[in-house]
Structure formats: structure tokens, C-alpha cells
Amino acid sequence: MRHLIDITDFTVEEINRILDLGDSMIADPAAYRTCLSGRILATLFFEPSTRTRLSFESAMLSLGGSVLGFSSADSSSASKGESLTDTIRTVSCYADIIAMRHPKEGAPMAGSMKSLVPIINAGDGGHNHPTQTLTDLMTIRREKKRLDHMVVGLCGDLKFGRTVHSLIGAMSRYEGISFVLISPPELKVPAYITKELADKGIPFREVETMEEVMPELDVLYMTRVQRERFFNEADYIRLKDTYILDPDKLRTAKADLSIMHPLPRVNEISTKVDDDPRAVYFKQVRNGRFVRMALIKTLLEDMA
Ligand code: NCD
């Protein structure tokens, strides 16, 4: 039995197979409409979510399976003091696969040790978010027809942004990738990530403005300042509008730049950018459903 806790739990070949399956599902969704009939997905969300939880549920329903779960810790026995591992042991008696989101880093890993069924990390605190990364990889591959040889700019809250951490881990394994990390000094990528990049000899630069690097970028991955992870509101207010991408800032960008965002957006991208053909954040949303279909089917059938 396999889990997906960290994106590097899967080899590059395994990821490519999931992306291939996701592409086939987009091309012919009807062919997969009943393939998981009788199977149950549980979504255990101890933290808020729109896209991740609903895309998991939509994915399972699109494969003919069923879903159950909860969307906040308040409506689960966690509010009575039940431990996470007891909750997971229990739910793994009711479902064939579990997608869970939790505010504590490492919670899905702890859960996977007691689970009778595959666990998917749907976001653990400010740590990792591997299924958003599958969505991002699928989007980049569909847009660029490759996942290697490009300059990837990541902008915003690189400290607490879990999608950024997982995406760097995944893209680092493809050839010819270099990263431009755009953030205020307070929100730089954690040191363990830059150390890993340095150790592996992967080129990266840390800068404070997007203007200075815009012409070089093949991908610009914008992120929200993660208010819920801040220790005090004053720091959040000071930093929240550091970056606002607008049409003016895109004047020097490449014609085939891909502008990405895991969403939800607050202020980081002006709605005036939405109609720019380079804006692919709503395509990401759609890809997220299909790549999760591919992931669930793979964990339940091919990796079981
Ligand atoms: C992200 C998350 O939850 O980490 N959202 C998502 O899953 N699409 C990004 C965010 O909340 O800013």
C-alpha cells in the first residue's frame, strides 16, 4: 500500500504516469465514469478549503465512487479531544482511501502510520501540498509541453506557502530547471529548502522584486500571504500587499510566460490579468480535478 505524503514519495516516472493518465481522463472522461464504483473516498479537512476538498470529491464521483468526510475540525471528534491517529484508524474502517488536510506539519505522515488505507496529504500546515504540485506539474506540462529546461519564478509568501515547498521539491528533479525566489526578506523560503537546492547544485536566486526578473521567467507562480500562519496581525498587514501583479508589470514578460496561482487569491493578481492568455490559474483548477482522478485510481488500483 502506498501513501502520498511528500511529492518525492513518487518517482519522476510514477509522476509522469499519473500525468499521462490525467491527460487521458481529460481526453475521454466517459471511459473512466464507473471504474471506481463501490469504492469510498473520505475527505478529512481539519483546515478550510474550497478547491482541494471539492476537487477530490468531484474526482471520486467522476470515477463512479462515493465520498464521505468532514470539512472542519469542529464537526469531528477532534473537538472532543480525539487524537488524530484514532480518527484515522476509525475512518480507515469506513473508506478505501483518505485525503486529509491538517494545520500541523507532519500530521498526514503520523496518520499514515496507523491507517489501513492509502493516505493522501491534502496540505499539512506550512509544510507540503503534494496534490497541488501534481496539479501544477500537469498545468506546466500541458502549457509548455515539457517539465525541464525552464526558469521558474515563485513569488510571495515562500516561507509559509506549502505549495511552493512541494513544487520546488518536484521541479528540482527535472533537468535544466532554475528557480528565482521572489519575496520580502521576512518571507524567504525556509533554509532547509535552499540548502537542498545548493547541495544538489540546482541554480537559484533570491530577489525582492518581480520587475527585475520578469523578462527571464517561463513560469511565474504567485502565492497568497498565508495570514493564518502569522504570529501577529501587524506583520501580516505590513506584508500582505508586497506584490500585486498587474498588466503593467507584465509588459516585459515573455510572450509564452505561464502565470500560475494555487488560489485562493486575495490581492496578489489584479483581476485585469485574468483575460491575459498567459494567465493559467483557472486552467490549474480544472486540471486539479483530473489529476486527482488519476491519483486516486493509481493509488487504489495500480499501486495497491
Ligand atoms: C493553497 C493551500 O491550501 O495551501 N490552496 C490550495 O490548496 N489550492 C494555497 C493557499 O491557501 O494560499
Side-chain angles (χ1 to χ4, degrees), residues 84-116:
L84 172 72
T85 47
D86 282 2
T87 303
I88 294 292
R89 269 191 147 159
T90 302
V91 176
S92 69
C93 299
Y94 305 149
D96 301 297
I97 186 163
I98 296 174
M100 66 168 286
R101 167 172 288 188
H102 200 281
K104 281 215 181 80
E105 289 81 4
M109 163 73 94
S112 70
M113 290 170 171
K114 297 289 176 193
S115 179
L116 306 170

Side-chain angles (χ1 to χ4, degrees), residues 162-214:
R162 55 195 173 193
T163 64
V164 166
H165 306 157
S166 295
L167 185 58
I168 292 175
M171 296 277 318
S172 296
R173 299 194 291 178
Y174 294 89
E175 233 175 83
I177 297 295
S178 65
F179 295 102
V180 183
L181 308 172
I182 311 158
S183 76
E186 296 90 331
L187 298 178
K188 276 162 73 161
V189 131
Y192 77 89
I193 292 179
T194 42
K195 178 174 184 314
E196 205 171 304
L197 290 174
D199 289 349
K200 289 185 181 150
I202 296 161
F204 71 94
R205 254 185 311 150
E206 296 184 284
V207 301
E208 283 184 42
T209 71
M210 53 174 124
E211 288 88 333
E212 67 192 281
V213 294
M214 191 64 85

Side-chain angles (χ1 to χ4, degrees), residues 281-300:
Y281 28 94
F282 289 108
K283 288 190 191 167
Q284 272 172 278
V285 173
R286 177 169 179 271
N287 293 336
R289 172 183 175 194
F290 289 98
V291 88
R292 287 182 176 97
M293 287 166 69
L295 171 66
I296 295 169
K297 184 175 185 307
T298 300
L299 283 173
L300 281 179

Side-chain angles (χ1 to χ4, degrees), residues 45-56:
F45 276 60
F46 297 86
E47 250 194 2
S49 170
T50 299
R51 273 150 294 270
T52 304
R53 186 173 62 84
L54 294 181
S55 66
F56 265 113

Side-chain angles (χ1 to χ4, degrees), residues 48 51-52 101 129 132 162-163 224 226 228 261-264:
R51 273 150 294 270
T52 304
R101 167 172 288 188
H129 194 345
Q132 181 62 45
R162 55 195 173 193
T163 64
R224 172 180 72 90
Q226 306 279 298
E228 64 276 33
H261 193 307
L263 303 179

Side-chain angles (χ1 to χ4, degrees), residues 250-261:
L250 283 167
R251 272 186 303 113
T252 60
K254 286 188 180 171
D256 65 346
L257 172 71
S258 294
I259 305 164
M260 303 178 65
H261 193 307

